[in-house]
PDB file of all heavy atoms in Angstrom:
ATOM      1  N   HIS B  90      84.416  96.524 143.886  1.00 98.00           N
ATOM      2  CA  HIS B  90      83.520  97.313 143.053  1.00 98.00           C
ATOM      3  C   HIS B  90      84.290  97.795 141.824  1.00 98.00           C
ATOM      4  O   HIS B  90      85.310  98.474 141.944  1.00 98.00           O
ATOM      5  CB  HIS B  90      83.005  98.498 143.865  1.00 98.00           C
ATOM      6  CG  HIS B  90      82.054  99.386 143.116  1.00 98.00           C
ATOM      7  ND1 HIS B  90      80.908  98.896 142.527  1.00 98.00           N
ATOM      8  CD2 HIS B  90      82.070 100.722 142.880  1.00 98.00           C
ATOM      9  CE1 HIS B  90      80.260  99.911 141.946  1.00 98.00           C
ATOM     10  NE2 HIS B  90      80.946 101.020 142.136  1.00 98.00           N
ATOM     11  N   GLY B 126      77.788 105.413 136.104  1.00 94.00           N
ATOM     12  CA  GLY B 126      78.231 105.099 137.457  1.00 94.00           C
ATOM     13  C   GLY B 126      77.755 103.716 137.859  1.00 94.00           C
ATOM     14  O   GLY B 126      76.860 103.141 137.236  1.00 94.00           O
ATOM     15  N   GLY B 127      78.360 103.208 138.903  1.00 97.00           N
ATOM     16  CA  GLY B 127      78.116 101.818 139.260  1.00 97.00           C
ATOM     17  C   GLY B 127      77.154 101.617 140.417  1.00 97.00           C
ATOM     18  O   GLY B 127      77.183 100.571 141.061  1.00 97.00           O
ATOM     19  N   LEU B 128      76.303 102.579 140.643  1.00 97.00           N
ATOM     20  CA  LEU B 128      75.412 102.461 141.805  1.00 97.00           C
ATOM     21  C   LEU B 128      74.527 101.217 141.735  1.00 97.00           C
ATOM     22  O   LEU B 128      74.407 100.467 142.702  1.00 97.00           O
ATOM     23  CB  LEU B 128      74.548 103.717 141.946  1.00 97.00           C
ATOM     24  CG  LEU B 128      73.531 103.687 143.095  1.00 97.00           C
ATOM     25  CD1 LEU B 128      74.224 103.482 144.446  1.00 97.00           C
ATOM     26  CD2 LEU B 128      72.690 104.957 143.127  1.00 97.00           C
ATOM     27  N   ASN B 129      73.926 100.993 140.580  1.00 97.00           N
ATOM     28  CA  ASN B 129      73.047  99.822 140.466  1.00 97.00           C
ATOM     29  C   ASN B 129      73.821  98.522 140.657  1.00 97.00           C
ATOM     30  O   ASN B 129      73.290  97.561 141.205  1.00 97.00           O
ATOM     31  CB  ASN B 129      72.336  99.806 139.119  1.00 97.00           C
ATOM     32  CG  ASN B 129      71.246 100.862 139.082  1.00 97.00           C
ATOM     33  OD1 ASN B 129      70.661 101.180 140.115  1.00 97.00           O
ATOM     34  ND2 ASN B 129      71.007 101.421 137.903  1.00 97.00           N
ATOM     35  N   ASN B 130      75.064  98.518 140.192  1.00 98.00           N
ATOM     36  CA  ASN B 130      75.890  97.325 140.388  1.00 98.00           C
ATOM     37  C   ASN B 130      76.133  97.072 141.867  1.00 98.00           C
ATOM     38  O   ASN B 130      76.149  95.936 142.326  1.00 98.00           O
ATOM     39  CB  ASN B 130      77.232  97.491 139.665  1.00 98.00           C
ATOM     40  CG  ASN B 130      77.050  97.670 138.182  1.00 98.00           C
ATOM     41  OD1 ASN B 130      76.540  98.684 137.725  1.00 98.00           O
ATOM     42  ND2 ASN B 130      77.446  96.675 137.429  1.00 98.00           N
ATOM     43  N   MET B 131      76.297  98.155 142.598  1.00 98.00           N
ATOM     44  CA  MET B 131      76.495  98.016 144.044  1.00 98.00           C
ATOM     45  C   MET B 131      75.202  97.506 144.693  1.00 98.00           C
ATOM     46  O   MET B 131      75.226  96.581 145.517  1.00 98.00           O
ATOM     47  CB  MET B 131      76.893  99.366 144.643  1.00 98.00           C
ATOM     48  CG  MET B 131      77.081  99.363 146.134  1.00 98.00           C
ATOM     49  SD  MET B 131      78.546  98.446 146.663  1.00 98.00           S
ATOM     50  CE  MET B 131      79.835  99.640 146.290  1.00 98.00           C
ATOM     51  N   ASP B 160      83.269 106.747 141.618  1.00 97.00           N
ATOM     52  CA  ASP B 160      82.184 106.220 142.445  1.00 97.00           C
ATOM     53  C   ASP B 160      82.490 106.429 143.933  1.00 97.00           C
ATOM     54  O   ASP B 160      83.611 106.227 144.374  1.00 97.00           O
ATOM     55  CB  ASP B 160      81.990 104.720 142.169  1.00 97.00           C
ATOM     56  CG  ASP B 160      81.188 104.478 140.898  1.00 97.00           C
ATOM     57  OD1 ASP B 160      80.829 105.472 140.233  1.00 97.00           O
ATOM     58  OD2 ASP B 160      80.932 103.308 140.576  1.00 97.00           O
ATOM     59  N   PHE B 165      77.257 105.038 148.056  1.00 98.00           N
ATOM     60  CA  PHE B 165      76.647 103.890 147.359  1.00 98.00           C
ATOM     61  C   PHE B 165      76.160 102.832 148.351  1.00 98.00           C
ATOM     62  O   PHE B 165      75.086 102.259 148.202  1.00 98.00           O
ATOM     63  CB  PHE B 165      77.660 103.249 146.401  1.00 98.00           C
ATOM     64  CG  PHE B 165      77.826 103.969 145.104  1.00 98.00           C
ATOM     65  CD1 PHE B 165      77.430 105.298 144.960  1.00 98.00           C
ATOM     66  CD2 PHE B 165      78.375 103.326 144.001  1.00 98.00           C
ATOM     67  CE1 PHE B 165      77.584 105.966 143.750  1.00 98.00           C
ATOM     68  CE2 PHE B 165      78.534 103.979 142.784  1.00 98.00           C
ATOM     69  CZ  PHE B 165      78.152 105.302 142.659  1.00 98.00           C
TER      70      PHE B 165
END
Side-chain angles (χ1 to χ4, degrees):
Chain B
H90 181 55
L128 178 59
N129 286 330
N130 299 69
M131 178 70 78
D160 280 2
F165 280 19

